[in-house]
Amino acid sequence: MIAACGAGSRVRVFFMDEARFGQQGTTTRVWAPRGSRPTAVKQTRYEWLYLYAAVEPATGVGVALQAPAINTGTMSVFLKMFVDELGPNDHAVLIMDQAGWHRARRLKTPSNLWTLFLPPYSPELNPVERLWAYLRGHYLANRTFNDYQHLFDAGAEAWQQLSPERLRSVCAFDYLPRDTER
C-alpha cells in the first residue's frame, strides 16, 4: 500500500466517524450555587443533523461535513471533500468503524485514500468519539434549536471553534504518536 505512493509522497493517518446532533440534545452538568436546583432545557422535537468528521490526531488537522442524512451517497461526498483537502502529494489512511455505509460496494473511494476498519464494537479505539463528547459538552448541550437551519448553524459554529491545538488535545491517545515537526 505505502509502496504504491511513489517518491515524494506523504502518508497521513486520519480517524473518521459520524455523530448525530439534534433538537433532543444533551443535558450536562452546570455550575450553580450549593443547594439550588438549576434548570436545563430539553426539547421534544425531532430534527437531526449528522456531522461527518476526519481528524489527524498527530497534527490537529480536521475536515467535517454536515448533512441531513447518513448513507453511502453522503459518505462518498465526504470522502471526495476529504481528499480535496489533502496536498497534491498526500495519501491518507482513514481509520473508521465498520458501519454499513463505510463498507458499501457503491461507496466511491478516491485512489489516494485507503481505509482501515476498527474491530467491531470498539468505539474506545476511535479518537473522534472523544470529539463528539467535547462538542456536545461545550457547544451543543443545554440548548434549544428553533429549526433545522438553527441546528445547522450551531453545528457549523461549534466546529469552527476547534483549533488544531484543541483537536490534537481532544483526540490524543497514548498509542498515537504526536507530530513534533509542526
Side-chain angles (χ1 to χ4, degrees):
M1 163 168 79
I2 294 174
C5 293
S9 294
R10 176 171 70 152
V11 177
R12 300 171 67 184
V13 177
F14 287 81
F15 285 82
M16 186 271 165
D17 197 26
E18 308 87 8
R20 180 175 78 169
F21 300 100
Q23 289 181 318
Q24 289 206 348
T26 306
T27 53
T28 61
R29 296 177 185 210
V30 296
W31 287 100
R34 186 177 294 273
S36 70
R37 190 171 204 137
T39 59
V41 295
K42 179 100 170 145
Q43 285 184 284
T44 57
R45 294 186 192 157
Y46 292 94
E47 294 254 27
W48 303 105
L49 172 74
Y50 295 89
L51 181 61
Y52 292 68
V55 175
E56 185 177 31
T59 63
V61 170
V63 177
L65 170 69
Q66 292 188 107
I70 194 164
N71 55 41
T72 304
T74 308
M75 182 68 183
S76 293
V77 169
F78 173 76
L79 293 179
K80 170 75 171 94
M81 187 186 87
F82 171 72
V83 297
D84 287 348
E85 293 292 320
L86 297 174
N89 294 324
D90 288 348
H91 294 265
V93 176
L94 193 62
I95 302 171
M96 58 188 153
D97 61 27
Q98 297 187 40
W101 53 91
H102 294 169
R103 301 182 68 104
R105 287 187 194 143
R106 292 189 338 246
L107 183 65
K108 295 177 181 147
T109 306
S111 61
N112 61 336
L113 177 70
W114 298 287
T115 56
L116 290 177
F117 296 104
L118 293 167
Y121 309 107
S122 58
E124 69 279 358
L125 297 177
N126 192 339
V128 180
E129 294 286 350
R130 289 182 176 182
L131 180 59
W132 305 141
Y134 180 82
L135 286 176
R136 285 184 179 107
H138 287 81
Y139 300 107
L140 301 169
N142 299 332
R143 293 182 60 182
T144 60
F145 303 101
N146 299 331
D147 53 21
Y148 183 82
Q149 186 61 47
H150 188 209
L151 187 59
F152 188 91
D153 293 343
E157 184 180 327
W159 180 262
Q160 291 169 357
Q161 298 299 316
L162 299 171
S163 66
E165 294 78 24
R166 177 66 63 198
L167 284 172
R168 247 192 342 263
S169 171
V170 170
C171 296
F173 266 48
D174 290 340
Y175 68 87
L176 298 174
R178 291 202 172 235
D179 187 355
T180 56
E181 295 177 13
R182 293 194 176 126

